[in-house]
Amino acid sequence: MRIVHSWLQELVPVGPELNGMDIDTIADVITNLGLNVEDVARVGGSVAGVITAKVLRTERHPDAAKVHRVYVDAGDGVERHVWCGAFNMQAGDMVPLATPGTVMPDGRAIEPKPILGISSDGMLCSARELSLGDDHAGIYILPSNVALGVPYGEALGLGEEIVYDVDVPRNRPDGNGHLGVARDLAAKFGLALTAEPALIDPVEPARSATVKIVDGNRCGRFTTIVMSGIAVGPSPEWIRRRLSAAGMRPLNNVVDVSNYVMLECNQPNHPYDFDTLGGGGFIVRRAKQGEEIVTLDDVTRTMSAADLLICDADNVPIGIGGIMGGKDSEISETTTTLALEMAWFEPNAIYASATRLGLRSEASIRFDRGVDPFGMGRAGSRFVELLRLTCPDLVVHAGGVDSRSKYLPRPNIITVRPSAVSALLGKDFHADSIRALIEPIGFSCEQVDADLQVVTPTWRPDCTLEVDITEEVARHHGYELLGRTIPKSTVPGGLTPLQHRRRRLREVLLGLGINEAMPHPFLAADDLAKAQLPAAAVRLTNPMTAGDDVLRTSLRPGLLKAVAFNESHRQFNVSLFEVGHVYPPSDDELPAEFEALAVVLAGAEAADAVGVWRELANAMGWGARLDQTNVPTGTHPARSATLSLGRDPVGVVGEIHPDVADAFEVSERVALLELNLSVLLTIEPSDARWKPTSRFPSSDLDLALVVPHAVTAEKIDKAIRQSAGALLVDLQLFDVYRGAAAGDGARSLAYRLRLQAPDRTLTDDDVAAVRTKVEAATSKMGVTLR
């Protein structure tokens, strides 16, 4: 949740200019109150070099599938050509154009780089690229009335905003609104919240949008208010600026006020065009199995019987309850009368529907955590107050509807024992001190003997037990003031042998200059297909992130996405490894989980991956055979092998298949090493033995061998090592040649043998003898010297 500082100040007087409290202190206080501030950013300032431009036309190029050509006018009468990967603009749209030489907030310098030999005169920008929000799905469309060729910040009247990026836990649903955060700060510092907006004063003639709740267990309350005198147009600059800073794109005054009220009061709402509302009312019912609706994002969605629909009075679906409105319910430029709907929906059902549909909207996030079932009065008044700024002729009609079912939740009444609170927090709290801490945040208390009867505020549905009240006491007393008690143990800690080996493994990889990565452990539906891995996988019914519902069967896709991410930020030749668990499906009820290691080396070749394997094998005491007759899926067919321990495969070494690299939008060759650590880490290495270092000089012997394609490099490597004997201290394959000089059906492999004796300087005869033995050993496989 993005909390905008200026917005917060409007609700509670905090800040350097009001009470001398600096921004970092406010962020620390919010964090200590249980809403972790992950970042404090300054957004909304203009990026120098980005100007307004008008789209003249767009064209597709026959050889470019992911980008199209956009021609724009920046006010100088010159037609400029820009390549663009977003397709949400059309002729006449006003867009922000980053001209060549512009340095973007992420450090990118815009240069006229060609695609397919055609230069791009700048870049069209999304909201995220201009630090105007999180939207990166398309180009940021500016209001149609802005001037051409001027800095976009000047055209939008942008001012810098300070934004707290707050991680709101599920047990603090009120934290999803600025009002909830302001209420906490006001209580902490003994300040007063700003006055509530004036109550709506409806006038005649009465006009009603009727409501019929069919499934009351899913919708406990549904209210409607009819308003006329609407003039759809742009919002005031300060509303647009705050919405952008909060991560939402301003559209028009009606939609912007709706979003503003949701972000402030934590009350999702939906304004409908009353004149186009079928039957002039609403029906709230469950969907029929297979029923379809086109949502605001222009996607046709198929409902199940467990989903809730908002229908017009003609029983035509116009929205998915608590998640997203229908496309036909949008406010248009011709809207003059609207019906404002606010409701309370059962949280668990909203969460289940949003998860099944893969549609996590701002509304569903709030409804599935629980909104205030009695907060619609304030939210409605705030909606009217804000909309009147741009619609001075606004009329709120009498005849508003407030339909409720018996399932509407009521405040919880909890008995709180000060003795129990004290015992749990390790500090003495009395009834009076508890009341002083929780009454300012909306809890009402009545003392009964030594205990308190606490009535929870309706905006805190998470508080149902005595321990929840104890947590509120701790939050507002201050966790840092409770003290710390460290339990004492008679058993000292220590690492198991397996943990020691895992730590040693990481040390070796880090010593090789490979960085540890921790990609998201869940995959998107098409990640396995892009990696050319088997599609069979365990799927989650309740993924943490919509779309990432596949339990990974390999670490490979996550690391390839990390390489692609680095490439997109101009970081090439990255070397990454990950140690983690994978979950291939099995015939049993549970997946065949095991611990794995994956290493990817961007800009490297198969030989580099083999080198990493040999370093690990030497350090960890492992041994495995390279089997090139069994090429793993998703890897290069001529540059990859399976690592086998006896007859059992324990890993993969080689290169990523070029088609896989293309699918992940990686332009470099990528070397790969994968190991089954559940097997290898159980191998107890033999004791390391000291080996004296020879003080005599070494000699290098280079051999170029013509090797038939049927003979693997691993067999040549083994033959050289066995025939050279104890004098061989190092062996490197430093060149591979395929061409006419090597003949048909063969290639040339050039090896460098480093020879060294522990007790003497090698003579020419010693080196020649090794050469003879190597020739004899390799000739048995049809190998000849070049």
Side-chain angles (χ1 to χ4, degrees), residues 93 165 172 189 220 326 368 438 480 487 492 498 500 505 513 515 537 556 562 573 586 649 662 664 666 719 734 773:
D93 283 343
D165 191 355
R172 284 298 309 281
F189 298 116
D368 74 34
I438 66 175
E480 70 279 6
L498 193 69
H500 274 293
L505 173 73
N515 297 302
R556 198 183 305 173
N573 302 318
S586 68
D662 289 343
F664 282 92
V666 175
F734 66 87
K773 290 178 182 179

Side-chain angles (χ1 to χ4, degrees), residues 182-422:
R183 185 184 293 114
D184 260 5
L185 288 175
K188 184 69 176 177
F189 298 116
L191 302 171
L193 287 172
T194 55
E196 293 192 11
L199 293 176
I200 298 174
D201 187 15
V203 299
E204 299 293 339
R207 300 182 70 178
S208 298
T210 60
V211 176
K212 179 182 179 182
I213 301 177
V214 177
D215 291 285
N217 62 329
R218 298 288 300 279
C219 177
R221 188 181 183 189
F222 198 98
T223 68
T224 62
I225 307 171
V226 176
M227 306 177 198
S228 62
I230 305 298
V232 177
S235 295
E237 178 274 329
W238 63 271
I239 288 182
R240 296 201 310 268
R241 185 177 68 244
R242 287 182 181 176
L243 287 176
S244 295
M248 304 200 79
R249 183 167 61 181
L251 295 175
N252 60 56
N253 54 343
V254 177
V255 175
D256 292 350
V257 166
S258 173
N259 288 330
Y260 194 99
V261 169
M262 176 183 67
L263 295 176
E264 179 173 294
C265 302
N266 192 35
Q267 176 60 63
N269 58 89
H270 195 118
Y272 293 85
D273 189 324
F274 185 67
D275 293 328
T276 62
L277 182 64
F282 299 90
I283 297 175
V284 185
R285 63 169 174 85
R286 294 196 187 202
K288 300 171 186 176
Q289 188 68 34
E291 197 168 4
E292 291 186 343
I293 180 174
V294 180
T295 46
L296 282 171
D297 55 358
D298 204 22
V299 176
T300 300
R301 303 187 184 274
T302 303
M303 302 292 102
S304 77
D307 299 323
L308 192 69
L309 286 178
I310 308 299
C311 304
D312 61 23
D314 297 330
N315 210 20
V316 176
I318 55 175
I320 305 174
I323 300 177
M324 185 175 284
K327 186 172 179 58
D328 295 334
S329 68
E330 287 183 294
I331 295 293
S332 69
E333 294 180 355
T334 60
T335 298
T336 59
T337 305
L338 63 82
L340 178 64
E341 165 263 308
M342 295 186 187
W344 180 89
F345 299 106
E346 198 281 315
N348 292 331
I350 295 297
Y351 179 81
S353 291
T355 301
R356 191 190 66 77
L357 293 169
L359 186 57
R360 300 289 290 168
S361 64
E362 291 286 344
S364 72
I365 289 172
R366 288 165 171 81
F367 278 124
D368 74 34
R369 298 185 180 194
V371 301
D372 184 358
F374 297 95
M376 298 166 197
R378 175 174 182 142
S381 298
R382 185 62 165 150
F383 186 97
V384 172
E385 181 182 61
L386 293 172
L387 192 55
R388 277 206 168 113
L389 298 176
T390 53
C391 300
D393 298 326
L394 180 71
V395 175
V396 180
H397 291 274
V401 177
D402 186 349
S403 182
R404 308 185 185 194
S405 76
K406 65 179 181 180
Y407 297 97
L408 185 66
R410 301 292 174 181
N412 297 309
I413 300 175
I414 304 170
T415 299
V416 177
R417 299 162 296 162
S419 59
V421 173
S422 301

Side-chain angles (χ1 to χ4, degrees), residues 66-78:
K66 297 181 179 180
V67 293
H68 65 148
R69 305 177 68 182
V70 183
Y71 296 87
V72 300
D73 175 15
D76 54 4
V78 177

Side-chain angles (χ1 to χ4, degrees), residues 1-3 35-41 134 163-168:
M1 175 68 186
R2 289 187 168 195
I3 300 297
L35 299 171
N36 185 42
V37 177
E38 297 184 332
D39 185 31
V40 178
D134 290 329
V163 178
Y164 307 97
D165 191 355
V166 179
D167 181 17
V168 181

Side-chain angles (χ1 to χ4, degrees), residues 81 84 176 294 320 343 374 465 488 574 602 627 664 700 752 784:
H81 168 263
C84 185
N176 283 305
V294 180
I320 305 174
F374 297 95
L465 302 171
K488 295 181 179 180
V574 296
D627 182 6
F664 282 92
D700 286 350
R752 176 164 293 134
T784 59

Side-chain angles (χ1 to χ4, degrees), residues 626-759:
L626 273 70
D627 182 6
Q628 287 186 272
T629 63
N630 183 12
V631 179
T633 57
T635 62
H636 195 293
R639 300 174 185 164
S640 303
T642 297
L643 289 167
S644 299
L645 192 62
R647 295 184 178 180
D648 299 322
V650 292
V652 172
V653 65
E655 282 185 34
I656 293 293
H657 197 289
D659 292 345
V660 173
D662 289 343
F664 282 92
E665 299 183 355
V666 175
S667 62
E668 306 170 273
R669 293 171 69 169
V670 181
L672 171 71
L673 173 65
E674 291 180 332
L675 299 175
N676 185 335
L677 296 184
S678 291
V679 173
L680 293 174
L681 287 181
T682 60
I683 299 174
E684 186 172 349
S686 57
D687 294 334
R689 295 185 179 182
W690 175 78
K691 183 179 180 181
T693 301
S694 176
R695 57 188 178 88
F696 296 95
S698 61
S699 298
D700 286 350
L701 172 63
D702 290 351
L703 296 176
L705 308 176
V706 179
V707 182
H709 285 322
V711 180
T712 64
E714 186 258 345
K715 291 182 178 179
I716 300 298
D717 186 286
K718 185 177 180 179
I720 293 175
R721 292 180 185 276
Q722 289 179 345
S723 57
L727 294 181
L728 182 67
V729 295
D730 188 40
L731 176 65
Q732 290 184 353
L733 173 64
F734 66 87
D735 184 58
V736 178
Y737 167 76
R738 291 178 173 86
D744 295 334
R747 80 278 195 197
S748 172
L749 303 181
Y751 288 90
R752 176 164 293 134
L753 290 72
R754 177 151 294 176
L755 307 175
Q756 189 176 33
D759 54 354

